[in-house]
Amino acid sequence: KYKFINIVICSNDSIFAAGNYDNSIYIFDKYSGKRKLLIKAFKLPPLAVQFHPINSDVIVFSARRAIIVWNIKENKLIRKIESSVFPVSAANVNYNGKLIAIAGIDNSIKVYDLNNNIKINYFKGHQANVTSMSFVSSFDTIATVGLDNKMHYWLLNDTTQKKAIKVI
């Protein structure tokens, strides 16, 4: 029945969301294992799913080049941001839920202001697919790793940055 692509657990550790090949997001109660919600609002499978760290909205990175914020308490769309990243290879939300970063198989990283629906920075430096990323707790840096066996730190407020700091 299920063909899950990805899974994420909410910051309060009570529910989890799983993207499925049937173009849906399933929300389950962690303790009972019962499905709480089924979101069938997508025309293609969700490539990545994250929970907003403050309010538990689900952030979906869709195969239709969009970032979708879904309120699971009211079961409705809150926001949609169009993106040129396709397909998404990695995604992350920062600790206060204001910024999101996505990477595509073109080896680029784009950072968006979630509240204002705008792209705030773009980074390119990996020589292969970016496979994972994480915001650093200081809010001004994002760390990425890729299939090029490199780890990079990107300074978010430096729009002139040409290369990342490489870690060996």
Side-chain angles (χ1 to χ4, degrees):
K1 180 178 179 178
Y2 300 116
K3 293 183 180 177
F4 293 120
I5 305 166
N6 45 59
I7 189 167
V8 64
I9 297 176
C10 185
S11 62
N12 70 10
D13 206 30
S14 64
I15 58 175
F16 61 93
N20 196 302
Y21 276 111
D22 69 359
N23 307 344
S24 302
I25 303 289
Y26 291 78
I27 309 293
F28 293 95
D29 180 272
K30 178 186 167 194
Y31 301 104
S32 71
K34 292 183 180 177
R35 187 173 75 198
K36 293 181 72 164
L37 180 65
L38 173 62
I39 304 168
K40 293 185 77 68
F42 311 103
K43 293 181 180 177
L44 294 171
L47 299 174
V49 180
Q50 295 279 318
F51 275 108
H52 189 283
I54 307 298
N55 59 26
S56 299
D57 291 338
V58 174
I59 302 170
V60 180
F61 302 88
S62 85
R64 295 188 61 87
R65 299 180 186 209
I67 302 157
I68 298 161
V69 181
W70 194 273
N71 181 306
I72 60 174
K73 290 180 182 171
E74 297 178 22
N75 193 20
K76 70 177 187 176
L77 176 73
I78 294 178
R79 182 175 297 114
K80 183 176 180 181
I81 302 170
E82 295 300 324
S83 164
S84 61
V85 176
F86 178 78
V88 172
S89 62
N92 205 292
V93 181
N94 78 338
Y95 299 101
N96 64 9
K98 293 181 180 178
L99 301 176
I100 56 174
I102 55 177
I105 61 168
D106 66 349
N107 313 333
S108 69
I109 298 107
K110 294 180 181 167
V111 181
Y112 292 86
D113 179 319
L114 189 59
N115 295 330
N116 297 313
N117 296 359
I118 58 170
K119 181 172 66 172
I120 62 168
N121 217 329
Y122 170 84
F123 303 108
K124 191 149 176 123
H126 280 281
Q127 300 302 310
N129 193 7
V130 177
T131 56
S132 185
M133 61 176 54
S134 182
F135 282 93
V136 178
S137 60
S138 64
F139 297 111
D140 65 348
T141 309
I142 190 167
T144 60
V145 295
L147 295 177
D148 57 0
N149 291 326
K150 301 262 193 260
M151 179 188 298
H152 295 272
Y153 285 98
W154 306 94
L155 303 175
L156 296 179
N157 58 1
D158 185 355
T159 58
T160 64
Q161 182 179 355
K162 302 294 185 213
K163 286 189 173 182
I165 302 164
K166 294 180 183 176
V167 176
I168 298 173

